[in-house]
Amino acid sequence: MIRLNQIDKHYEQVVALNRVNLEIEHGKLVVLIGPSGCGKSTLLRVVNRMIEPSGGQILIDGKDALDIDPVLLRRSIGYVIQSAGLFPHLTIRENVAVVPHLLGWSKARRLDRADEMLALVQLDPHKFGNRYPKELSGGQQQRVGIARALAADPAVLLMDEPFSAVDPITREQLQEELLRIQRDVRKTIVFVTHDIDEAIRLGDKICLMRDGAVVQYADPDTMLRHPADAFTAQFIGQEPELKRLGRHNVGDFMRPGTPEPSLAGAERVGQASSARSALSKLLGGQSSLIVVDASGAAVGHVSLSDFAALA
Ligand code: ADP
């Protein structure tokens, strides 16, 4: 668990963080969101002391982070940034093994671990392990960034707008991947985004900030149904009911079974993809969608009437 008590950060006249209190439960994914300049990146970086707070207390699993050597603290916390930040002169496998290397793991152990992590993020280690970052797409590099952050098995992962530099389709795939990985590894994750839909899809809780302070800290459903104030309601924006659909996978709405042959030409969507994007495809004119599992096998189909329960 991470507990931030009365965290302040001042830059001369600028108050970047103003007495922030936040408790992040073990194994939960908390999204920090808010308008540009509200302090979300500063708050994220205070957790691993890339930024030293001006005041307050940071407790990680009961230990005062301000008593820990900041270099050791940072090695014990995974960190993922927007453009992956891979070392261009190291292979993918070596990039993933960077923190285990710093921690003194044997070569065999750290390279085995790197391959295990590449497989976890669905990159075949035999195919990608010896390549260099520039030989991968942006989305693949981002997966490597996640593999690298998880390599030393940290309890805490900090993710700073990790998916904001990729195209919308890749972004949705990466969000699905993160949810799948999180079901396996159950890390305590702090995730910064400026995208409310991403926050709703990923967050166990959302922390909405403004002017260096927390405006509302709640699970997405509560925030959508009961915004704390007019600012929160405005930030969530139009159609909160539709936004809530982002919490569901299309598999929750599909009719299971082998789709009829007449549907053979229909667009295919992954079972774990968001119900909201399936609904937009259906509203956009597709009469049905075939739902496929992770191996690509059809497991059901979905059409507009399957969303009728929402009405
Ligand atoms: P966000 O991530 O929400 O966009 P930041 O955490 O980056 O916001 O910044 C919060 C506030 O602190 C902003 O007003 C920003 O201009 C200010 N700030 C951030 N870093 C510095 C710095 N190194 N020097 C001065 N002001 C800073």
Side-chain angles (χ1 to χ4, degrees):
M1 138 136 37
I2 302 172
R3 189 192 292 257
L4 303 176
N5 287 332
Q6 300 282 92
I7 294 290
D8 278 326
K9 180 65 190 176
H10 303 152
Y11 293 103
E12 296 177 2
Q13 288 92 332
V14 178
V15 179
L17 296 174
N18 187 8
R19 306 213 167 165
V20 172
N21 293 309
L22 199 65
E23 197 171 284
I24 302 173
E25 283 171 66
H26 179 77
K28 298 289 183 196
L29 192 158
V30 166
V31 177
L32 307 181
I33 195 166
S36 183
C38 70
K40 47 197 188 295
S41 302
T42 305
L43 189 60
L44 184 87
R45 288 177 198 171
V46 156
V47 174
N48 70 355
R49 291 178 60 198
M50 284 173 64
I51 293 177
E52 295 287 354
S54 313
Q57 191 185 35
I58 308 156
L59 294 173
I60 300 178
D61 291 333
K63 286 197 206 107
D64 191 332
L66 297 173
D67 288 342
I68 304 173
D69 176 341
V71 174
L72 296 181
L73 180 73
R74 282 195 281 272
R75 279 182 201 163
S76 73
I77 294 179
Y79 187 51
V80 185
I81 56 173
Q82 190 180 101
S83 50
L86 303 178
F87 297 112
H89 58 289
L90 296 183
T91 65
I92 296 305
R93 189 175 277 118
E94 288 164 345
N95 262 287
V96 176
V98 158
V99 176
H101 194 181
L102 291 171
L103 295 173
W105 295 20
S106 74
K107 188 168 180 187
R109 184 172 166 223
R110 64 182 188 252
L111 295 182
D112 273 359
R113 177 70 177 171
D115 283 6
E116 190 192 332
M117 290 299 100
L118 286 172
L120 179 72
V121 298
Q122 313 231 299
L123 291 173
D124 179 354
H126 302 293
K127 191 166 162 197
F128 292 97
N130 290 325
R131 292 196 193 174
Y132 286 88
K134 66 175 184 326
E135 299 173 291
L136 270 61
S137 71
Q140 289 167 336
Q141 289 188 30
Q142 215 50 46
R143 284 166 194 253
V144 178
I146 295 172
R148 181 176 63 178
L150 290 169
D153 202 19
V156 174
L157 206 58
L158 306 179
M159 305 185 81
D160 196 354
E161 305 218 26
F163 306 149
S164 48
V166 295
D167 65 83
I169 292 172
T170 307
R171 184 173 189 150
E172 207 181 302
Q173 287 167 349
L174 288 168
Q175 291 168 355
E176 271 171 45
E177 283 292 299
L178 180 63
L179 289 171
R180 181 187 59 77
I181 292 168
Q182 174 66 344
R183 275 195 296 274
D184 280 357
V185 300
R186 278 281 155 221
K187 301 294 181 192
T188 305
I189 302 179
V190 191
F191 187 111
V192 168
T193 185
H194 55 259
D195 176 352
I196 185 71
D197 293 312
E198 184 163 77
I200 292 166
R201 177 112 179 102
L202 298 180
D204 294 307
K205 277 186 147 183
I206 299 176
C207 173
L208 175 61
M209 299 178 65
R210 183 187 196 182
D211 298 337
V214 176
V215 180
Q216 187 168 11
Y217 183 43
D219 64 85
D221 207 48
T222 303
M223 195 172 277
L224 286 163
R225 287 179 200 270
H226 308 290
D229 57 10
F231 167 77
T232 312
Q234 192 194 11
F235 197 86
I236 291 168
Q238 304 292 310
E239 297 153 346
E241 298 79 13
L242 214 47
K243 287 198 159 72
R244 204 155 40 232
L245 255 193
R247 295 293 293 169
H248 292 278
N249 295 338
V250 65
D252 301 343
F253 290 88
M254 73 175 183
R255 269 176 272 174
T258 310
E260 289 168 26
S262 62
L263 292 177
E267 190 175 332
R268 301 163 90 83
V269 293
Q271 192 171 10
S273 63
S274 123
R276 186 169 175 200
S277 67
L279 180 60
S280 358
K281 285 184 174 135
L282 292 166
L283 291 170
Q286 310 262 347
S287 58
S288 293
L289 300 167
I290 293 181
V291 182
V292 297
D293 67 12
S295 71
V299 289
H301 70 284
V302 66
S303 50
L304 261 188
S305 57
D306 297 316
F307 288 91
L310 291 170

